[in-house]
Amino acid sequence: MTGMTKRGNAILKTILIECSWMAIRKDPALLVYYKQLLPRMNSNKAIVKVARKLLNRITYVIIGKVKFNC
């Protein structure tokens, strides 16, 4: 797994980072992950790692491995 790079859509990355800030407020698992990262790095780097984890979750859902009961 690689981190987020400078290449790619800057607007999409910005939106993903903002969603990550919201996700750590709503999702207890992501909040725990974020708090584990804080002693090792500053908050901006930690939120990028949370964004990567959130992106993996989004990809998993889009690929179709998770089905919703609608």
Side-chain angles (χ1 to χ4, degrees):
M1 176 172 25
T2 61
M4 291 177 61
T5 64
K6 293 182 180 182
R7 298 179 74 174
N9 191 333
I11 295 171
L12 186 60
K13 285 188 284 188
T14 302
I15 292 170
L16 187 60
I17 295 293
E18 290 300 320
C19 289
S20 298
W21 282 113
M22 292 173 59
I24 63 170
R25 292 187 193 113
K26 300 289 183 183
D27 187 358
L30 288 177
L31 179 61
V32 168
Y33 180 66
Y34 176 74
K35 286 185 177 182
Q36 287 174 350
L37 294 172
L38 282 180
R40 295 185 285 156
M41 59 189 67
N42 66 21
S43 61
N44 289 335
K45 287 187 178 183
I47 203 66
V48 169
K49 287 191 174 270
V50 171
R52 180 64 183 184
K53 187 175 270 297
L54 183 62
L55 185 59
N56 285 337
R57 286 183 175 187
I58 293 168
T59 304
Y60 192 81
V61 171
I62 289 174
I63 289 174
K65 295 181 180 176
V66 176
K67 299 203 189 264
F68 293 104
N69 296 330
C70 295

